[in-house]
Amino acid sequence: MAELLTQLQDDLFSICWKFRDCVGVLQGQAPPQQVATEALLAKPPVPGFDVQSTVKTYTTEIIDLIKAFDGLLHQLPDDLVQPSSADSRRKQEYETEIRQLQQQHQQVTDELAAAVEEVEGLLSHLQQLYAALAQAKLQAMSSS
């Protein structure tokens, strides 16, 4: 099992390395292409560099590496690839807990909205009382 995991790591490293190599070669050798509104940098083309064949070669190599990697993945024991019943049970428990928390969140949100509405009503009433007091004070000052 340890050898299989090591081989998977090595193969994944090879895939990443090949992709990095491909990007590096294309970046260094391929003729420049304009991207959106960016100005095209003047770079002399590399004589004899065939972009299409290079891309095709790298594509084939990367696909072969991925197929080999996929073959190794299928050699992993099923209990590593497929979740166990304990994992499924734990996932169901988490999902149930998440649903409960979402319901609690909705309930608290509704309560908060009701409290805000009530407080806004009280604020409006207090503003009306304050306006009435201010009006009464103005009238008292003007009549004296």
Side-chain angles (χ1 to χ4, degrees):
M1 173 71 133
E3 291 176 16
L4 180 59
L5 292 176
T6 301
Q7 184 62 44
L8 281 167
Q9 289 174 328
D10 290 345
D11 283 8
L12 185 58
F13 177 79
S14 295
I15 292 168
C16 293
W17 189 265
K18 185 59 72 172
F19 184 74
R20 182 208 59 89
D21 188 41
C22 174
V23 171
V25 167
L26 291 175
Q27 183 181 22
Q29 306 295 319
Q33 299 292 318
Q34 187 167 354
V35 178
T37 59
E38 293 183 22
L40 186 62
L41 298 175
K43 175 182 156 190
V46 175
F49 182 76
D50 183 9
V51 175
Q52 295 301 326
S53 67
T54 303
V55 168
K56 186 174 182 178
T57 301
Y58 274 111
T59 301
T60 302
E61 291 175 5
I62 291 171
I63 288 172
D64 289 344
L65 289 170
I66 290 172
K67 285 179 182 177
F69 183 78
D70 190 50
L72 288 175
L73 282 178
H74 289 295
Q75 293 178 25
L76 287 172
D78 286 343
D79 61 341
L80 285 179
V81 178
Q82 297 176 356
S84 67
S85 60
D87 290 338
S88 296
R89 194 175 340 95
R90 220 173 302 125
K91 181 181 177 185
Q92 288 175 345
E93 290 170 0
Y94 288 147
E95 289 173 351
T96 301
E97 186 176 350
I98 288 170
R99 280 193 293 276
Q100 289 172 347
L101 289 171
Q102 288 172 333
Q103 289 172 349
Q104 288 176 357
H105 177 265
Q106 187 59 49
Q107 181 181 1
V108 169
T109 300
D110 293 345
E111 290 173 4
L112 180 60
V116 166
E117 188 176 320
E118 180 183 350
V119 168
E120 286 176 343
L122 290 173
L123 178 62
S124 176
H125 182 68
L126 286 173
Q127 288 172 338
Q128 290 171 359
L129 290 174
Y130 182 74
L133 285 173
Q135 184 67 30
K137 186 171 184 177
L138 285 173
Q139 286 178 351
M141 289 175 56
S142 65
S143 62
S144 28

